[in-house]
Amino acid sequence: MADGARRRRGDLLAVLGVALAARLAVVVWAWSRFPPVEDGHYYNVLAQRMAQGLGYTWLWPDGAVTYAAHYPVGYPALVAVAYRVLGAAPGIAMLLNAAIGAAAAGAAWWLASEEAAPRWRPLGAGLAVALHPALVAYTPALMTEGVAAALVVLAAAAAVQARRRTRPWRWLVAAGVLAGIATLVRPQSILLAPVLGVFTVTVEGAWRARAIRAAFVSAVALACVAPWTARNCVHMHRCALVSVNGGWNLLIGAQTTTGSWDELRVPPECATVWDEAGKDACFEHAAREAIAAAPGAWLARTPAKLAVTFDYFGAAPWYLHASDAAAFGDDAKVALGAVETIASRLLLVAALVACALASGPYTGARRVLGAAGVLTAFLRHGWPAYLVLVAAAALLGRRAWARGPLAVPFAACVIALTALVHAVFFGAGRYGLAVVPFVALVPFATGATEAAPSRPS
């Protein structure tokens, strides 16, 4: 093996080792301290039932068993496999989270590992994701957001491989499969499937090729989801793509006064609808009527929704404190939240500076945007800085997006789509975790301006 290849392999193994060690240390600490709580309780129960061969069903206090689809199936299904093999204990799910999170750190290394890039760039990208406190500390949570974010990073890494190959189709299939699994974990991930295909074409202006690859990756992702959609058509009496909670979330977003989750006020016409899918449809109808009646009031909630999504992630301290306040008290919650916020804001600043100083068109405009974004990132409400980062990345120009590192345009798309989804529904810090690994990548992925040469498959 050549020295360069040996060093690259060693760097990748180092990133994977650091990421796994950090997460395993958290798992050892959390194993018996933090039982599943909030949505994690339901994911754990559903995973146990699936591991026992009882399907994705719910056992009610009166003994009735019904098919379920309120919560997305993907994460409980992954946990159920681990429970089936290793035993049904929450610590096993934590180990699964650790393995997927560590794999995402390795994928981050791949995303920044352009052939012309110096060695420190992929190492920095991989270690930033490997050690990011918002990601590492969330490992004990039996929740979907960290796993979904990791799966999207893995899908993007597969797209990078497709971009580098003369025969890319098996990597495009891999990207589609990973996007499909991510969609089963978190349904809005399907919006990123076409993006994966678009950015695997390196020739500027090759829109036909981009459209073909976007459609191909999306088709593979939807094919992975289709059996579950068919199951919903039969057993839930509604052909929901993944879950039947979109109506709930839309109504919460139409009612919220904080931009975040509020106790849902059940419309009178929905109070006696007991069927899970039927109630979701009723809520969706009520939400659409409320939005149509006062669209200005609904739009006016957007800044608050984006603020609670991007200003402060805080998913790990919230979960750990909710799980066991005695083991993780108020002081610990505040301290971990501060560490997460400082790390996230500093990486955001670094990403803004990198986009502002990168070679390419609109240098003056990007520097003005970068300066404004950096100032905003140090304010309490730093969420506009994420949108500034999207604008600065866009101003790098079509050539940079067509031939530069995939991490930068994909980060911009992840941020933009996350903002759009939660402006429509409602926000929460844990939903903002989707952008964390991609923002961490940007400072290390703006140095190369040309795509790596194609390699044989």
Side-chain angles (χ1 to χ4, degrees):
M1 184 183 294
D3 289 343
R6 187 179 294 109
R7 281 195 299 270
R8 285 169 54 83
R9 181 179 179 183
D11 289 349
L12 175 58
L13 290 176
V15 167
L16 289 169
V18 168
L20 188 58
R23 285 158 177 78
L24 289 179
V26 173
V27 170
V28 169
W29 167 71
W31 187 281
S32 60
R33 287 184 173 91
F34 299 102
V37 69
E38 303 290 348
D39 288 353
H41 164 73
Y42 297 101
Y43 289 126
N44 181 56
V45 172
L46 289 164
Q48 289 176 341
R49 292 186 62 78
M50 294 179 78
Q52 294 165 11
L54 300 174
Y56 202 64
T57 59
W58 190 258
L59 173 64
W60 295 94
D62 63 0
V65 175
T66 59
Y67 288 99
H70 180 79
Y71 291 97
V73 68
Y75 182 62
L78 292 172
V79 173
V81 173
Y83 281 178
R84 184 79 176 181
V85 175
L86 300 173
I92 300 301
M94 297 180 193
L95 288 176
L96 175 69
N97 294 348
I100 295 174
W109 181 90
W110 273 111
L111 276 165
S113 185
E114 298 291 335
E115 190 141 312
R119 183 182 179 187
W120 66 268
R121 288 190 180 276
L123 265 176
L127 292 174
V129 175
L131 297 173
H132 199 298
L135 301 174
V136 174
Y138 204 47
T139 303
L142 272 66
M143 303 286 277
T144 61
E145 295 80 18
V147 171
L151 289 167
V152 172
V153 177
L154 287 163
V160 164
Q161 289 302 303
R163 190 178 204 185
R164 294 172 178 172
R165 308 288 173 162
T166 54
R167 294 191 295 274
W169 296 104
R170 63 177 179 177
W171 289 104
L172 289 169
V173 169
V177 169
L178 287 163
I181 297 171
T183 299
L184 289 168
V185 173
R186 192 158 170 74
Q188 52 264 52
S189 301
I190 193 62
L191 298 174
L192 293 165
V195 176
L196 290 164
V198 164
F199 292 121
T200 61
V201 179
T202 60
V203 180
E204 185 181 0
W207 296 111
R208 184 173 180 273
R210 294 180 191 281
I212 289 171
R213 292 195 182 184
F216 181 82
V217 173
S218 299
V220 172
L222 289 171
C224 293
V225 177
W228 184 254
T229 304
R231 175 264 192 192
N232 288 338
C233 294
V234 174
H235 294 301
M236 304 306 299
H237 313 297
R238 188 182 184 192
C239 294
L241 179 68
V242 177
S243 55
V244 290
N245 59 5
W248 289 71
N249 293 337
L250 189 62
L251 185 57
I252 292 169
Q255 294 179 350
T256 181
T257 58
T258 63
S260 187
W261 183 91
D262 281 341
E263 188 72 38
L264 189 145
R265 300 186 297 277
V266 179
E269 65 270 25
C270 303
T272 56
V273 179
W274 306 115
D275 176 75
E276 189 173 281
K279 186 175 283 291
D280 187 62
C282 187
F283 285 167
E284 181 180 342
H285 178 72
R288 290 180 182 274
E289 285 192 336
I291 293 168
W298 178 69
L299 288 171
R301 295 181 174 93
T302 298
K305 293 175 181 179
L306 297 183
V308 297
T309 301
F310 293 112
D311 279 349
Y312 168 68
F313 301 123
W318 162 77
Y319 184 90
L320 296 171
H321 183 73
S323 176
D324 190 339
F328 201 82
D330 289 330
D331 290 343
K333 181 180 179 182
V334 171
L336 178 55
V339 170
E340 280 192 10
T341 302
I342 291 169
S344 298
R345 295 290 181 94
L346 288 177
L347 283 166
L348 174 59
V349 167
L352 287 160
V353 171
C355 282
L357 299 181
S359 59
Y362 307 109
T363 302
R366 283 189 286 110
R367 290 183 177 179
V368 170
L369 281 173
V374 168
L375 291 174
T376 305
F378 286 107
L379 300 177
R380 176 186 175 186
H381 291 299
W383 65 267
Y386 287 92
L387 303 186
V388 169
L389 178 59
V390 173
L395 287 179
L396 285 171
R398 289 183 301 169
R399 185 173 183 273
W401 282 49
R403 301 188 65 81
L406 183 60
V408 177
F410 203 73
C413 291
V414 170
I415 295 169
L417 288 172
T418 300
L420 177 62
V421 166
H422 295 291
V424 171
F425 295 97
F426 64 92
R430 59 193 174 103
Y431 302 149
L433 284 180
V435 310
V436 166
F438 290 98
V439 172
L441 277 166
V442 172
F444 305 98
T446 53
T449 57
E450 297 291 337
S454 296
R455 301 173 187 171
S457 59

